Amino acid sequence: EDQVTQSPEALRLQEGESSSLNCSYTVSGLRGLFWYRQDPGKGPEFLFTLYSAGEEKEKERLKATLTKKESFLHITAPKPEDSATYLCAVLFGNEKLTFGTGTRLTIIP
Amino acid sequence: NAGVTQTPKFRILKIGQSMTLQCTQDMNHNYMYWYRQDPGMGLKLIYYSVGAGITDKGEVPNGYNVSRSTTEDFPLRLELAAPSQTSVYFCASLGGELFFGEGSRLTVL
């Protein structure tokens, strides 16, 4: 069964303290991997789409990378406004688009 | 270009009632998805469709039905509502990213 696992479940960082979030998936014909952020009470907000191992994308303080088994979302020198839940989703070969349970990130001023 | 439109935004149902959540997209996307999100949890796939006339079950399909008679519309029907179906429902369509509707908050009492 296709599975998506995110770690850690929750992460607290000091402002400016860089870190990485992980999204791992069962290898079953990945067709795309998506990263989203979600603020409380809001819908998911698109960040990145990655399609193949070795691909990297950047946006402000965020950088997403992809290997054959996992993706990392690197956060460099985060600010309090980066606090949110970060979700990854994987489009498998059977066309199912499956989300992980998310990482709840808190940046402390 | 309205993107993905979901209605209603809020609804309260009594146990045993039925209702349909409407979802329309104007981007000519073939792939569409319905998710539910319980408080503090990730998004769980209910049903998905890869084109008009084609639908398939996701992780949590029990108590729901869908149809896809056109590319634009992907309604989700709840039959015999139960308190366990209290959740926020998101419809989405897939282009280069997953485009979400604003969500429908459903309460079953």
Side-chain angles (χ1 to χ4, degrees):
Chain A
E1 184 180 322
D2 298 318
Q3 287 192 342
V4 181
T5 303
Q6 288 190 249
S7 62
E9 286 187 18
L11 182 63
R12 289 170 64 89
L13 299 172
Q14 291 293 132
E15 184 173 358
E17 180 184 0
S18 302
S19 188
S20 297
L21 313 182
N22 179 264
C23 173
S24 63
Y25 52 90
T26 54
V27 181
S28 176
L30 176 134
R31 295 186 51 215
L33 186 142
F34 307 83
W35 281 100
Y36 282 80
R37 70 170 278 165
Q38 188 176 28
D39 295 305
K42 302 283 184 65
E45 176 188 335
F46 173 71
L47 294 174
F48 304 108
T49 304
L50 302 168
Y51 290 105
S52 56
E55 191 173 357
E56 299 183 351
K57 288 193 177 173
E58 283 188 74
K59 179 181 177 181
E60 296 180 358
R61 294 178 293 281
L62 299 176
K63 179 180 177 180
T65 61
L66 181 64
T67 72
K68 288 185 178 179
K69 294 183 179 180
E70 59 192 346
S71 176
F72 291 94
L73 184 66
H74 307 279
I75 301 178
T76 302
K79 299 181 178 181
E81 54 262 42
D82 294 322
S83 296
T85 295
Y86 288 83
L87 302 167
C88 82
V90 176
L91 180 62
F92 291 101
N94 58 8
E95 320 302 348
K96 282 187 180 178
L97 186 49
T98 301
F99 277 81
T101 52
T103 294
R104 192 167 58 254
L105 177 66
T106 304
I107 307 300
I108 305 161
Chain B
N1 205 354
V4 178
T5 303
Q6 266 183 255
T7 57
K9 287 188 170 54
F10 303 93
R11 183 73 186 268
I12 298 174
L13 281 180
K14 294 183 179 178
I15 294 172
Q17 287 185 320
S18 299
M19 75 161 295
T20 299
L21 299 177
Q22 301 291 344
C23 178
T24 299
Q25 53 95 6
D26 61 0
M27 296 170 283
N28 203 33
H29 291 160
N30 284 320
Y31 290 20
M32 295 186 74
Y33 300 83
W34 272 107
Y35 296 92
R36 61 175 286 173
Q37 187 174 35
D38 299 330
M41 306 294 282
L43 283 83
K44 290 193 181 297
L45 181 63
I46 306 172
Y47 270 96
Y48 65 104
S49 169
V50 298
I54 306 169
T55 63
D56 211 341
K57 295 178 180 178
E59 305 167 75
V60 290
N62 291 343
Y64 306 95
N65 271 303
V66 293
S67 60
R68 186 91 183 271
S69 57
T70 67
T71 299
E72 294 78 18
D73 299 310
F74 190 39
L76 176 73
R77 182 150 180 88
L78 282 72
E79 304 281 2
L80 299 175
S84 60
Q85 292 178 304
T86 294
S87 191
V88 178
Y89 292 83
F90 289 101
C91 176
S93 72
L94 183 63
E97 63 179 83
L98 193 60
F99 293 85
F100 282 92
E102 293 185 355
S104 299
R105 188 175 298 273
L106 177 66
T107 302
V108 182
L109 301 173

